[in-house]
Amino acid sequence: MRKGTIMDDNNNQSQSLPPTPQPAPSQPIPPQTISPQPIPPKKGLSKGALWGIIGGVLGLILVITAVVLAVIFLAGPSKEDYMAMRSQVKDVKTQSKNTKEKTKTFIDNMLEGRSNNDSLKEALNDYKEAIDNMKDMKALQDKDVKKSYDEVAQNYADAKEYIESIMATEKKTQKVVDKCDSKNSPRRGKFSSVGEVQSYFTSVKKFLQGCIDAINDTPKSKSKELNNYFKTAADTYKEQITIIDEIIQAINDHNLTKYNSALRKFVDHPKKIPAMVQKLKKNIKVEVDYQKDAEKISALEKTINDKIK
């Protein structure tokens, strides 16, 4: 029997089967090395997105700040704010009174021919400083308080202008006091002739004219009383000159009756001047006290007190 031929049970030859393949000897599988894959970098934000975030944050901060400020300002002044300003108003009131007293002293010295120091200027500066110390106070956020404060500040400006206008007349006024001082007028003695009498009255007339010229040279001030005084004084000295002219005319006319009448008026007339000065001192003090700054300060104080209640 040939190799590969299979006989059946009847010894019949059947188709040969293909040989069964033999498995190949197994080969060792080399280990495989797996290389780690690189992790791709994270994609960053674009510049537009970054600026958008920054802008959003800044916008949020601004909104928060605006809200905080709105709450602060819309809330208005507190009771403590009003009380703090009321305390400062008391200082303003003190400085106002001090300035008025210094003004009266200044005028007295000026009318007596005495020199003044810088105390009135210092008082004005202290007064202004007291008012300026209130200008940044929170209570001024209240419209009523602000309105009253503005009136106080304006009246200080008016009072300052009034006082400084008086101070500007000091040197000229002292010259008037010197020129019109009766101690500087010609002395009357015993006359031995009509010529000496005429010479004496002519000298007095010259003295009075010098006094009038000094008065007319004095600048006008904001003080109605001071201006009226100088006008009245000048008119009074002019009246004395008129009386002297009557005396001289009576002498020339050899009219003893007119001479004696005019002489009596000449002796009595100068007595008006001291009374005029005393009246001026009294009236000008009233004028100084009448300045409306005190009234406005009291109104500011009342406005603040009403807010505290």
Side-chain angles (χ1 to χ4, degrees):
M1 177 177 43
R2 285 181 298 184
K3 188 177 180 180
T5 301
I6 300 175
M7 303 296 290
D8 62 14
D9 293 339
N10 297 321
N11 291 323
N12 292 325
Q13 186 176 357
S14 62
Q15 188 176 357
S16 63
L17 298 174
T20 303
Q22 296 296 322
S26 59
Q27 297 293 328
I29 299 174
Q32 295 183 2
T33 302
I34 300 175
S35 301
Q37 296 297 321
I39 300 174
K42 257 187 182 178
K43 189 176 180 182
L45 293 173
S46 66
K47 286 186 178 181
L50 182 60
W51 283 115
I53 292 174
I54 293 174
V57 171
L58 290 177
L60 181 60
I61 292 173
L62 290 175
V63 169
I64 294 173
T65 304
V67 170
V68 171
L69 291 176
V71 169
I72 292 174
F73 286 104
L74 293 178
S78 65
K79 182 177 180 180
E80 288 72 20
D81 295 326
Y82 288 118
M83 292 177 69
M85 188 164 185
R86 182 174 65 179
S87 177
Q88 186 59 37
V89 170
K90 291 179 180 179
D91 184 36
V92 173
K93 185 180 291 187
T94 298
Q95 298 305 331
S96 171
K97 290 180 180 179
N98 180 54
T99 300
K100 287 182 177 180
E101 292 305 314
K102 297 292 186 183
T103 302
K104 294 173 189 177
T105 300
F106 183 95
I107 293 171
D108 275 344
N109 288 338
M110 183 175 70
L111 294 177
E112 293 295 332
R114 297 188 295 264
S115 59
N116 282 288
N117 54 28
D118 291 332
S119 59
L120 180 53
K121 290 181 181 179
E122 293 170 359
L124 276 172
N125 290 336
D126 291 342
Y127 189 1
K128 182 179 186 299
E129 183 178 349
I131 293 176
D132 287 346
N133 286 340
M134 293 191 295
K135 66 182 180 182
D136 294 324
M137 287 189 157
K138 191 174 179 182
L140 289 180
Q141 293 176 14
D142 185 304
K143 64 179 183 179
D144 296 328
V145 175
K146 179 67 166 60
K147 179 176 180 292
S148 191
Y149 167 81
D150 288 343
E151 291 177 353
V152 168
Q154 181 57 52
N155 273 275
Y156 161 77
D158 294 340
K160 180 173 182 285
E161 184 179 9
Y162 167 82
I163 293 169
E164 288 182 339
S165 74
I166 294 176
M167 294 170 68
T169 70
E170 181 182 20
K171 293 187 181 301
K172 296 290 186 180
T173 300
Q174 288 175 337
K175 183 178 179 181
V176 168
V177 173
D178 181 62
K179 286 285 187 180
C180 300
D181 191 343
S182 59
K183 294 178 181 178
N184 297 326
S185 65
R187 295 290 134 199
R188 183 173 64 178
K190 291 182 179 181
F191 304 122
S192 59
S193 67
V194 173
E196 289 181 355
V197 175
Q198 289 179 320
S199 177
Y200 165 74
F201 282 111
T202 301
S203 297
V204 173
K205 182 177 178 179
K206 184 178 179 181
F207 165 78
L208 293 174
Q209 188 59 55
C211 175
I212 293 171
D213 292 343
I215 292 174
N216 291 337
D217 192 41
T218 305
K220 298 290 184 182
S221 70
K222 293 290 183 178
S223 169
K224 180 181 177 181
E225 292 295 336
L226 193 59
N227 292 339
N228 285 344
Y229 165 75
F230 284 131
K231 181 180 183 305
T232 304
D235 290 342
T236 301
Y237 290 123
K238 288 177 183 178
E239 290 172 1
Q240 290 186 16
I241 289 178
T242 300
I243 293 171
I244 290 174
D245 286 340
E246 291 177 8
I247 291 174
I248 295 174
Q249 186 62 46
I251 293 173
N252 292 334
D253 294 341
H254 304 285
N255 190 325
L256 186 59
T257 302
K258 287 185 178 180
Y259 173 80
N260 287 333
S261 175
L263 189 60
R264 282 194 297 270
K265 288 192 291 184
F266 175 77
V267 172
D268 292 337
H269 198 272
K271 296 177 182 178
K272 292 182 178 181
I273 301 298
M276 288 170 50
V277 173
Q278 292 306 313
K279 182 180 178 181
L280 168 64
K281 288 182 177 180
K282 179 181 177 181
N283 290 349
I284 203 167
K285 286 179 180 179
V286 173
E287 183 183 69
V288 170
D289 284 332
Y290 187 70
Q291 296 301 303
K292 292 183 178 180
D293 57 325
E295 175 186 332
K296 297 301 182 181
I297 294 170
S298 296
L300 173 58
E301 191 171 39
K302 182 180 183 303
T303 300
I304 294 173
N305 286 335
D306 290 343
K307 300 293 181 178
I308 294 176
K309 291 178 181 177

